[in-house]
């Protein structure tokens, strides 16, 4: 009898960092090979979609899906893995919330294609060819995935059992999640695994003195006080709008939190919460002045929804 777990790992619209996070578990990655039979992992092992298609429904114990859903191939593989797996895990911020690829929901497919294929200086001058889902070369029909108008979270296309947050999830968290699966110790379905119910600020040891600021700074614009809350020094730290669990990695290293763990449980919209927190630290009660100071930030929407635009109330801004 084969008592190893049968697992699949897949990347949708992803940067590869989540797959590297699995490899970053160092020698534990060898344990993964011992504990589990990997049926699909495009970045690391051979495995064909047709092999997964041929499995009985629910045959796989766990599927880890990283990356957002950007095109029809991402969606089709998500649906196939859902059908073939007992447990489906959204791995990393892109699958969880839409992530960095979700920032593309500030524009349209037509604008993205125009920038990438028509205005790009590395494209031959005068090019007017755009990718099409079906095209012909002689008698051969070529098929490409359909590029969607917007970016989706994994949960927008399939039922998700668990979420492993982070961009990427920390290697210790990956290890803990895999061990929990092996030991049958996963929490209640729907949980965000390895994260806290608190906001990051509650676990951050930087001192809060309720200081107010006149303007915001980017990290290179000012020498920071290593003890004081970054937000109270004018650095845009997403701690008030972010779920704790990463070990306060960024503020402890002198960098503002960017929000990759997503909102805490009671926060419905991470960006709205962050803008509210930024407004509250500004030394003014005049709404116009507060708007003006926020508007000096180079990309307010990008700060507010760096990882969560497809998860927000807006979902897209165009
Ligand atoms: S969550 Fe971060 S590391 Fe993972 S695929 Fe998305 S951008 Fe890359
Ligand atoms: S805003 Fe950032 S630096 Fe300040 S307490 Fe919260 S997490 Fe820490
Ligand atoms: S501090 Fe914020 S951005 Fe950094 S790892 Fe933690 S949640 Fe992510």
């Amino acid at each position: 009898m084969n008592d190893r777990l049968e697992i699949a790992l897949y990347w949708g619209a992803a940067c590869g960092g989540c797959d590297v996070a699995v490899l970053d578990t160092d020698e534990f990655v060898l344990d993964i090979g011992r504990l589990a039979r990997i049926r699909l992992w495009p970045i690391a092992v051979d495995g064909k979609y047709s092999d997964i298609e041929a499995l009985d429904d629910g045959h796989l114990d766990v599927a880890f899906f990283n990356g957002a859903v950007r095109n029809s191939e991402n969606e089709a593989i998500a649906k196939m893995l859902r059908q073939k797996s007992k447990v489906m895990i959204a791995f990393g911020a892109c699958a969880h919330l839409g992530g960095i690829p979700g920032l593309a929901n500030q524009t349209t497919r037509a604008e993205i294609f125009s920038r990438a294929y028509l205005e790009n200086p590395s494209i031959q001058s005068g090019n007017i060819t755009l990718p099409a889902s079906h095209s012909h070369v002689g008698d051969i029909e070529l098929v490409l995935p359909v590029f969607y108008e917007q970016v989706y979270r994994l949960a927008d296309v399939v039922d998700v059992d668990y979420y492993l947050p982070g961009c990427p999830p920390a290697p210790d968290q990956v290890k803990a999640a895999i061990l929990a699966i092996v030991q049958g110790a996963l929490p209640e379905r729907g949980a965000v695994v390895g994260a806290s119910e608190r906001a990051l600020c509650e676990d951050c040891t930087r001192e809060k003195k309720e200081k107010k600021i006149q303007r915001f700074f980017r990290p290179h614009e000012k020498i920071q006080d290593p003890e004081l809350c970054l937000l109270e020094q004018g650095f845009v730290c997403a701690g008030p709008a972010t779920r704790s669990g990463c070990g306060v990695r960024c503020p402890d290293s002198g960098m503002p939190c960017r929000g990759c763990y997503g909102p805490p449980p009671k926060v419905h919209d991470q960006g709205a919460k962050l803008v509210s927190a930024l407004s509250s630290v500004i030394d003014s009660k005049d709404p116009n002045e507060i708007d003006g100071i926020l508007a000096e930030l180079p990309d307010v929407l990008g700060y507010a929804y760096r990882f969560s635009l497809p998860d927000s109330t807006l979902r897209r801004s165009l």
Side-chain angles (χ1 to χ4, degrees), residues 104-122:
N105 285 1
Q106 294 177 75
T107 184
T108 62
R109 177 175 59 180
E111 282 183 9
I112 292 169
F113 275 26
S114 176
R115 178 63 62 90
Y117 298 109
L118 304 180
E119 300 157 34
N120 188 319
S122 68

Side-chain angles (χ1 to χ4, degrees), residues 166-167 200 242-243 246-251 255-262 307:
C167 178
L200 189 73
T242 301
R243 187 189 274 271
C246 68
V248 200
R249 280 191 286 182
C250 301
M255 288 300 290
C257 170
R258 294 308 189 203
C260 77
Y261 264 49
F307 296 97

Side-chain angles (χ1 to χ4, degrees), residues 225-238:
D225 177 335
E227 309 296 334
L228 183 63
C229 167
L230 290 161
L231 198 49
E232 293 186 17
Q233 300 180 63
F235 300 107
V236 179
C237 182

Side-chain angles (χ1 to χ4, degrees), residues 40 55 197 252 262 270 272 291 296 314:
L40 179 77
L55 299 174
E197 303 288 293
D252 274 1
Q270 189 178 22
D291 279 353
E296 285 169 14
L314 291 172

Side-chain angles (χ1 to χ4, degrees), residues 2 7 17 62 100 104 107-108 138 199 208 234 236 243 263 297 304 306:
N2 177 16
I7 69 171
V62 191
I100 299 285
T107 184
T108 62
K208 293 99 173 164
V236 179
R243 187 189 274 271
L297 284 167
R306 185 176 299 246

